[in-house]
Amino acid sequence: MVLVFNQQRAIWLPLRSIRHQISVLLSCSGYANWDIGVHFVDNERIRELNRAYRNKDKATDILSFPFHQVTKPEVDLPKTNLEDDMNLGDMYLAMPYILEDCKKANESVSQRLPVLLTHGICHLMGYDHEHDSDFKIMSEREDQILQQFYKLKE
């Protein structure tokens, strides 16, 4: 189940369309039947989360909180049909921060959102980008998911 929570007022969001995008992205990643929570928040809330969980006292665009502790991306996720185990986790997106980034890049939020959602999904699947080699692996997986996503949109 895809749960979407809009807890910000910086920008109007087409939640039904976003929920559908997330479902398609999950399908493209191979986790179609898995649960995920997506929270759209303001900069203050993401800053609180970033400070509490990453010791970084600043806003950021997205934070992900995996349900499962994964050391090898996708490999360590349970291979199960038990509903309780089929949860990727939650991600938080700071819409004012993202909106500002989009303005700087001359990009629309609707263009940027699938990229950020894919990034968050990859983190929930256990991917990381702390090291250059990890960044390359994660980027390749993101590209693979997004290529499939955009192909389905055609």
Side-chain angles (χ1 to χ4, degrees), residues 21-22 24-30 74 107 109-122 125 137-154:
Q21 278 187 357
I22 296 165
V24 173
L25 288 166
L26 286 173
S27 182
C28 292
S29 68
E74 298 187 69
E107 184 178 38
V109 172
S110 62
Q111 290 171 307
R112 186 78 180 125
L113 214 46
V115 175
L116 288 170
L117 291 168
T118 301
H119 185 78
I121 289 169
C122 283
M125 294 187 310
I137 292 167
M138 184 170 175
S139 292
E140 287 172 357
R141 184 65 169 118
E142 288 173 344
D143 290 346
Q144 180 186 44
I145 293 167
L146 285 168
Q147 283 176 4
Q148 198 173 350
F149 173 76
Y150 291 128
K151 211 178 280 186
L152 290 173
K153 281 185 71 172
E154 292 175 351

Side-chain angles (χ1 to χ4, degrees), residues 127-143:
Y127 290 91
D128 209 337
H129 47 79
E130 293 298 316
H131 306 290
D132 288 344
S133 59
D134 296 334
F135 177 82
K136 184 178 186 297
I137 292 167
M138 184 170 175
S139 292
E140 287 172 357
R141 184 65 169 118
E142 288 173 344
D143 290 346

Side-chain angles (χ1 to χ4, degrees), residues 75-108:
V75 174
D76 289 343
L77 286 170
K79 307 290 186 244
T80 180
N81 288 326
L82 295 174
E83 282 186 37
D84 289 347
D85 288 336
M86 295 176 70
N87 185 347
L88 284 176
D90 292 274
M91 68 175 88
Y92 291 77
L93 293 95
M95 292 315 297
Y97 191 99
I98 293 166
L99 191 56
E100 191 61 34
D101 272 357
C102 287
K103 287 178 184 174
K104 289 177 187 173
N106 197 26
E107 184 178 38
S108 72

Side-chain angles (χ1 to χ4, degrees), residues 2 4-6 8 10-23 38 40 95 108-111 113-114 117 153:
V2 175
V4 177
F5 305 94
N6 187 19
Q8 57 82 44
I11 182 174
W12 178 84
L13 295 170
L15 297 180
R16 183 176 292 155
S17 172
I18 290 169
R19 190 176 296 110
H20 177 71
Q21 278 187 357
I22 296 165
S23 293
V38 179
F40 294 100
M95 292 315 297
S108 72
V109 172
S110 62
Q111 290 171 307
L113 214 46
L117 291 168
K153 281 185 71 172

